[in-house]
């Protein structure tokens, strides 16, 4: 089964499309490739990855700076070709990378397939984008001079990527830095180095020199901190928590030497605003996808449902019914919808929050309501939960797990948006209404990076839905969008006096 995009649409046709579902939301690749996926799972150990000694950070930076001399002068076409070759190799090994994601990051098969596709999409998209934007642009100017604007690489970048998309975000950051002519010191999340290390092998096999892409595995507090602090860092790209983004920002600001750019994509307290005209079936489906898919471990995930009191009982009943259908359990089983959270520390944090809400809020969905037949013996498993809480302002911290908070509202929906804005995050928002003008007005009023109207609010597609937030949610530019690569480059304007007095060689030659 292959769904071909409509060629009349302005989509880059070679993009894989990270979310390819049938109308029931089932991933078609999982259904059609179950034999090779399960065979890969049987035969795939998680390869060990050696830890990097933080004491060697300055040496790693020096090697990166030296490799930069050559890599930055490699034509962009050749750098883009290396990304495309990496993408082709990854696509050819889709079952292997899926199996690693299931084993190392506890992804469900559906999430694993989506993630490999997203990684492939990032590679191909940034290859095309680099070739589009890196050609010098002639600027208009007066007679007697020429003006040209060009983008140039900056130097060694530190790429710090998260465990929740250990392949896609890792590959996206690395690809963006490399294709623009920078070199990379990549620090994958401590929990998920193996899938990153396997991706690095593909980059190297595709022609990226070893010095231009180094994988440095270890804790953020030691390895990450040492890399950020090392002399000669030209830029840092980070996806993770708001708190760590601020630590990196402070460390960069405290360094001697140049001002270092930081691209940060962080968390969110993402809301959905549902008015009284919304379609309950559509709302319930969007809520369950957005809040519970990937065990809620997406920065885009829905945390706070704000539903109009006229339809609240009906919508909540539908969500309870839909949540009962979810199977929380072993991610290796094809039927599992919700796998475990990443580690014991995450489990304790989320579970502590759940225990607090059990006494402070109204319990709407709890494990007894959820199919957990497959859950025996699975560590760190948290079934979907939903609670009715007092007010939007009660939402203080991002809870990175399958926990949905619900509030009822009345009156002006613009006030609801204002209260959501006041939380200070700004990543995704869902709006559900059948009044188009209201949807547009609320979308404009929301201080967020990604607005989703009458659908779920996760799964931004590379090249289609540029992704990233504002405020406590990050600095931009948006990943998978047309402005992302610019931030990895410095701009240079070259102005030449083309008159005889300016010594223009061609002009002088023509005068002899
Ligand atoms: C993240 O979870 O860190 O739109 C960002 C989405 C994903 C989010 C990735 N692209 O759901």
């Amino acid at each position: 089964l292959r769904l071909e995009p409509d060629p009349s649409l302005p989509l880059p046709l070679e993009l894989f499309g990270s979310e390819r579902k049938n109308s029931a939301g089932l991933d078609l690749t999982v259904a059609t490739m179950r034999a090779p996926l399960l065979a890969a799972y049987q035969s795939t150990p998680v390869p060990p990855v050696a830890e990097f000694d933080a004491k060697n950070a300055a040496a790693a930076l020096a090697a990166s700076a030296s490799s930069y001399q050559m890599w930055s002068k490699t034509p962009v076409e050749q750098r883009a070709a290396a990304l495309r070759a990496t993408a082709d190799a990854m696509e050819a090994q889709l079952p292997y990378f899926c199996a690693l994601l299931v084993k190392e990051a506890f992804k469900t098969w559906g999430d694993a397939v989506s993630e490999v596709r997203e990684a492939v999409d990032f590679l191909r998209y940034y290859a095309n984008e680099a070739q589009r934007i890196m050609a010098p642009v002639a600027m208009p100017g007066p007679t007697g001079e020429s003006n040209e604007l060009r983008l140039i690489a900056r130097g060694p970048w530190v790429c710090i990527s998260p465990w929740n998309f250990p392949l896609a975000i890792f590959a996206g950051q690395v690809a963006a830095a490399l294709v623009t002519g920078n070199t990379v010191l990549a620090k994958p999340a401590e929990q998920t180095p193996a899938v990153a290390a396997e991706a690095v092998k593909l980059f190297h096999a595709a022609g990226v020199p070893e010095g231009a892409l180094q994988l440095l595995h270890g804790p953020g507090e030691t390895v990450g901190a040492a890399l950020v602090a090392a002399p000669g860092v030209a830029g840092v790209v980070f996806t993770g928590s708001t708190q760590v983004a601020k630590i990196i920002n402070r460390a960069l600001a405290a360094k001697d030497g140049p001002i270092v750019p930081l691209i940060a994509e962080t968390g969110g307290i993402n809301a959905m605003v549902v008015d009284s005209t919304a379609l309950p079936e559509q709302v319930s489906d969007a809520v369950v996808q957005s809040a519970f898919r990937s065990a809620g471990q997406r920065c885009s995930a829905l945390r706070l449902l704000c539903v109009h009191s006229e339809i609240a009982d009906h919508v909540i009943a539908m969500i309870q019914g839909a949540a009962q259908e979810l199977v929380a359990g072993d991610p290796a089983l094809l039927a599992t919808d919700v796998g475990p959270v990443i580690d014991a520390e995450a489990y304790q944090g989320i579970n502590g929050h759940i225990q607090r809400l059990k006494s402070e809020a109204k319990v709407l969905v709890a494990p007894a309501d959820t199919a957990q037949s497959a859950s025996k013996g699975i560590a760190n498993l948290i079934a979907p939960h939903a609670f009715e809480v007092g007010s939007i302002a009660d939402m203080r911290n991002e809870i990175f797990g399958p926990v949905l908070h619900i509030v009822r509202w009345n009156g002006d929906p613009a006030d609801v948006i204002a209260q959501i804005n006041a939380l200070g995050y700004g990543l995704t928002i869902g709006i559900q209404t059948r009044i188009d003008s209201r949807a547009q007005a609320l979308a404009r009023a929301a201080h967020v990076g990604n607005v989703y109207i009458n659908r779920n609010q996760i799964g931004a597609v590379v090249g289609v839905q540029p992704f990233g937030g504002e405020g406590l949610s990050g600095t931009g530019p948006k990943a998978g969008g047309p402005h992302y690569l610019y931030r990895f480059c410095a701009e240079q304007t070259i102005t030449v006096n083309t008159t005889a007095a300016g010594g223009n060689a061609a002009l002088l030659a023509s005068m002899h």
Side-chain angles (χ1 to χ4, degrees):
L1 272 175
R2 247 185 109 76
L3 296 186
E4 296 301 339
D6 178 349
S8 68
L9 294 176
L11 281 176
L13 286 184
E14 75 274 26
L15 290 189
F16 212 179
S18 43
E19 307 276 330
R20 184 177 298 157
K21 305 269 176 298
N22 71 2
S23 49
L26 296 173
D27 191 291
L28 300 177
T29 304
V30 176
T32 54
M33 290 184 68
R34 51 190 293 162
L37 290 174
L38 293 177
Y41 186 81
Q42 299 300 334
S43 63
T44 300
V46 178
V49 181
E51 277 216 24
F52 177 73
D53 185 342
K55 285 201 290 292
N56 298 327
L61 248 304
S64 198
S66 149
S67 186
Y68 170 76
Q69 296 306 326
M70 191 269 283
W71 182 247
S72 59
K73 294 185 189 82
T74 304
V76 63
E77 292 76 17
Q78 204 174 316
R79 297 194 305 253
L83 263 59
R84 292 193 186 98
T86 306
D88 292 348
M90 197 180 282
E91 194 174 34
Q93 293 184 49
L94 180 129
Y96 175 65
F97 278 96
C98 286
L100 272 182
L101 288 166
V102 173
K103 284 198 170 171
E104 191 181 40
F106 316 113
K107 295 244 161 179
T108 61
W109 287 105
D111 279 351
V113 168
S114 293
E115 175 157 8
V116 177
R117 286 180 182 152
E118 188 176 7
V120 168
D121 285 351
F122 272 130
L123 289 160
R124 292 186 179 145
Y125 180 71
Y126 291 144
N128 293 349
E129 282 296 289
Q131 287 185 259
R132 180 179 70 81
I133 69 170
M134 293 200 82
V137 178
M139 305 300 288
T143 309
E145 65 179 41
S146 74
N147 291 280
E148 187 181 285
L149 178 66
R150 62 188 191 117
L151 297 175
I152 52 179
R154 289 178 176 274
W157 276 69
V158 175
C159 299
I160 304 178
S161 48
W163 49 259
N164 70 333
F165 284 91
L167 181 64
I169 293 181
F170 175 83
Q173 292 179 346
V174 167
L178 285 175
V179 78
T180 42
N182 302 282
T183 51
V184 171
L185 302 120
K187 215 269 327 146
E190 208 183 333
Q191 295 89 337
T192 52
V195 68
E198 294 303 292
V200 165
K201 287 182 191 163
L202 300 187
F203 278 104
H204 288 158
V208 175
E210 304 251 332
L213 172 56
Q214 302 176 60
L215 184 86
L216 310 170
H217 161 51
E221 296 79 8
T222 53
V223 173
L227 291 173
V228 167
V233 173
V236 177
V237 53
F238 168 76
T239 299
S241 71
T242 305
Q243 184 202 355
V244 172
K246 290 197 171 192
I247 292 171
I248 294 172
N249 213 357
R250 274 195 290 271
L252 291 176
K255 282 176 87 161
D256 290 335
I259 296 168
V260 179
L262 169 67
I263 300 171
E265 200 259 279
T266 63
I269 298 185
N270 308 303
M272 180 188 286
V273 179
V274 178
D275 80 2
S276 59
T277 72
L279 292 165
E281 292 85 350
Q282 180 181 285
V283 173
S284 149
D285 181 57
V287 166
V288 168
Q289 290 285 333
S290 305
F292 302 138
R293 183 158 176 206
S294 315
Q297 298 176 113
R298 294 188 183 224
C299 58
S300 53
L302 172 64
R303 312 289 177 205
L304 172 65
L305 173 65
C306 307
V307 56
H308 193 277
S309 53
E310 268 178 31
I311 63 165
D313 287 341
H314 186 40
V315 165
I316 288 169
M318 293 198 72
I319 292 169
Q320 288 170 318
Q324 272 172 23
E325 301 291 316
L326 294 174
V327 178
D330 183 350
L333 301 176
L334 288 165
T336 296
D337 300 301
V338 179
V341 297
I342 189 70
D343 58 18
E345 194 185 331
Y347 176 87
Q348 278 153 21
I350 300 161
N351 195 44
H353 179 75
I354 288 172
Q355 298 313 323
R356 255 194 315 283
L357 285 187
K358 278 186 175 166
S359 57
E360 290 170 11
K362 183 174 171 191
V363 181
L364 299 174
V365 174
D369 312 328
T370 322
Q372 268 193 295
S373 52
S375 70
K376 286 196 191 72
I378 304 296
N380 304 324
L381 190 68
I382 300 183
H385 281 74
F387 298 93
E388 187 166 340
V389 297
S391 74
I392 294 171
D394 289 344
M395 301 291 294
R396 286 275 160 256
N397 300 307
E398 178 187 44
I399 302 299
F400 211 67
V403 184
L404 176 67
H405 309 79
I406 303 181
V407 295
R408 298 169 194 245
W409 63 274
N410 252 314
D412 186 349
D415 293 340
V416 180
I417 299 285
Q419 290 174 57
I420 294 165
N421 286 343
L423 297 175
Y425 286 88
L427 200 46
T428 73
I429 195 167
I431 294 170
Q432 299 268 349
T433 174
R434 275 186 276 180
I435 306 170
D436 288 347
S437 58
R438 172 177 285 174
Q440 291 300 328
L442 296 180
R444 277 193 299 276
H447 299 165
V448 301
N450 288 69
V451 181
Y452 294 96
I453 298 172
N454 293 331
R455 50 153 283 171
N456 69 52
Q457 62 198 84
I458 57 166
V461 175
V462 173
V464 178
Q465 290 137 351
F467 184 81
E470 299 299 323
L472 293 172
S473 297
T475 60
K478 284 167 170 292
H483 305 138
Y484 193 62
L485 295 186
Y486 286 101
R487 193 80 177 114
F488 288 84
C489 303
E491 288 182 293
Q492 190 174 56
T493 304
I494 302 176
T495 299
V496 180
N497 176 357
T498 55
T499 65
N504 179 283
L507 200 60
L508 285 176
S510 73
M511 289 164 72
H512 287 293

